[in-house]
Amino acid sequence: MRGRNAAPINQQPSAVEYFAKEFARFLNNVQNNEVDFLGSFLIENEWENYRKDAEEVIESLSLAGFVIVPRMPTDAMVQAADQTLSKGMMASASRTYVSAVWSAMVTEWIETRNANLILDIFSMALSRASSPSKKDSGKFDSSFQRFRKQSQDIMASLEKTGLAICPDEAAPNMVSAGVAETAEHRSRTNQQIGADPSYISNLYENMVKARPA
């Protein structure tokens, strides 16, 4: 099998495209589409065939309570975080504040999470994609764990593109990290609301809802 480099950080694909290309890469035994012209050709011409598999992965993540979000929040996410902060003279300062809180929460999640459920979702999807006959028959392949290494590679590569798989609601440790981060961005505007766990939790959920499709 051919060697593989991580996807460039400055090229952030849609989640569906990302997972579909991972399926195309895996099922065509391609591990480095950047230097292998044949591998690149296969991925770019085959990934649409795995769109349904990719959509099923995202649906499974959603059912399990996960969402795919950018590590760096978009303008729409910042504006959705707190409509009061995103308007008027505070708009520029609020981006720094909101982005810092978001980053602290996402980083806390990534550094402390138990990724087993996410990896199981990836492994089962790879198992189904590699055995279409079993997928069509509805049979469950209990040997999906054999795809664990590939699943770990998929998650690591996804995060290198600037995306992250996070809970759709902030976990307690994420809220704590967000609250702690407000201490680094004190102002008359946020000194009272910023340290409120409920406010931080709502800020996170508002940003998740405004994430790119």
Side-chain angles (χ1 to χ4, degrees), residues 79-154:
Q79 292 170 6
D82 185 333
Q83 291 293 325
T84 302
L85 288 180
S86 66
K87 296 178 180 178
M89 296 180 63
M90 286 301 299
S92 178
S94 70
R95 166 167 274 284
T96 300
Y97 167 63
V98 169
S99 297
V101 171
W102 171 264
S103 178
M105 297 177 79
V106 172
T107 299
E108 174 67 18
W109 163 255
I110 290 175
E111 292 180 350
T112 61
R113 70 189 169 193
N114 181 337
N116 285 333
L117 179 55
I118 297 172
L119 295 175
D120 282 349
I121 289 172
F122 291 168
S123 296
M124 286 188 280
L126 287 171
S127 178
R128 290 193 301 268
S130 64
S131 303
S133 59
K134 291 183 180 179
K135 178 172 63 174
D136 294 339
S137 67
K139 294 181 179 179
F140 178 72
D141 186 353
S142 61
S143 65
F144 67 87
Q145 291 290 354
R146 70 188 186 276
F147 298 106
R148 199 66 164 188
K149 176 61 169 62
Q150 290 89 346
S151 297
Q152 291 171 334
D153 289 343
I154 286 175

Side-chain angles (χ1 to χ4, degrees), residues 171-181 200:
N173 62 323
M174 297 172 67
V175 175
S176 296
V179 169
E181 184 63 25
I200 294 298

